[in-house]
């Protein structure tokens, strides 16, 4: 799904259960006319449960959540690849404003933002299991992960090659909790 820079690819809100499987979401832009700047390709809100499987989110941009913005509800992702996205403010790949996200067997790679090149967590919960967070960059802090509030748990997988000039190439927390579980490989951050 390619909105060609004219808005988001998908918006999911409400209380329904939604499953999205086997798509590529590319070239979304949440700064397009009439949008609020959140979630370049995918915006998930409401209180429903969203399952995404074998999805690639790529080359999208926004002020917050270049690739994906989680506003509420529950997001379960399997084989989710969030790559080459950018945010002018926070969360180049993913921005978690609320709700809960659990991502397994995926990748959050090559994303860029001021804070939290890969993931920015403001509130809620974000879990990344058996996945990579690699080569993300922040112009300030938190190359791979920036936690301002809520909880981020990384279990297994690899956090590598991320950069931030003012601290926390791999991860930076000023509030909430950042937990790296056994089996997580940290290198070259």
């Amino acid at each position: 799904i390619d909105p060609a820079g004219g808005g988001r690819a998908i918006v999911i809100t409400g209380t329904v259960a939604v499953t999205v499987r086997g798509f590529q979401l590319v070239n979304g832009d949440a700064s397009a006319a009439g949008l609020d700047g959140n979630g370049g390709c995918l915006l998930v809100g409401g209180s429903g449960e969203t399952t995404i499987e074998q999805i690639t989110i790529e080359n999208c941009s926004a002020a917050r959540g270049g690739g994906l913005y989680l506003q509420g509800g529950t997001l379960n992702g399997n084989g989710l690849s969030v790559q080459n996205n950018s945010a002018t403010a926070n969360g180049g790949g993913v921005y978690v404003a609320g709700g809960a996200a659990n991502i397994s067997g995926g990748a959050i790679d090559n994303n860029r933002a001021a804070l939290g090149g890969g993931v920015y967590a403001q509130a809620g919960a974000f879990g990344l299991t058996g996945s990579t967070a690699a080569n993300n960059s922040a112009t300030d802090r938190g190359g791979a992960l920036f936690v301002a509030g809520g909880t981020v748990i990384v279990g297994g997988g690899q956090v590598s090659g991320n950069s931030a000039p003012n601290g926390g190439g791999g991860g930076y927390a000023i509030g909430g909790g950042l937990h790296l579980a056994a089996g997580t490989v940290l290198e070259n951050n």
Side-chain angles (χ1 to χ4, degrees):
I1 299 173
D2 183 352
R8 298 180 188 102
I10 298 177
V11 175
I12 300 169
T13 61
T15 60
V16 298
V18 175
T19 299
V20 180
R21 182 178 298 123
F23 281 97
Q24 188 174 30
L25 310 178
V26 298
N27 303 318
D29 186 354
S31 65
L35 299 179
D36 61 6
N38 297 330
C41 262
L42 177 59
L43 174 70
V44 178
S47 60
E49 183 170 338
T50 301
T51 301
I52 52 178
E53 298 175 340
Q54 307 309 317
I55 298 289
T56 298
I57 299 174
E58 185 171 20
N59 296 326
C60 302
S61 60
R64 292 160 299 282
L68 164 66
Y69 188 92
L70 178 63
Q71 196 167 15
T74 301
L75 174 69
N76 297 306
N78 183 19
L80 171 66
S81 178
V82 181
Q83 59 193 30
N84 301 313
N85 301 290
S86 63
T88 55
N90 306 328
V94 178
Y95 188 108
V96 182
N102 300 295
I103 308 298
S104 61
I108 299 176
D109 297 341
N110 300 306
N111 300 289
R112 301 163 307 287
L115 296 171
V119 177
Y120 183 95
Q122 179 65 43
F126 183 81
L128 187 64
T129 306
S131 303
T132 64
N135 303 313
N136 298 289
S137 61
T139 57
D140 190 350
R141 294 170 284 163
L145 309 162
F146 187 97
V147 183
T151 302
V152 173
I153 299 172
V154 180
Q158 188 168 351
V159 179
S160 64
N162 302 287
S163 62
N166 298 320
Y172 194 95
I174 61 169
L178 174 57
H179 307 278
L180 302 173
T184 303
V185 176
L186 295 171
E187 63 183 1
N188 298 323
N189 293 295

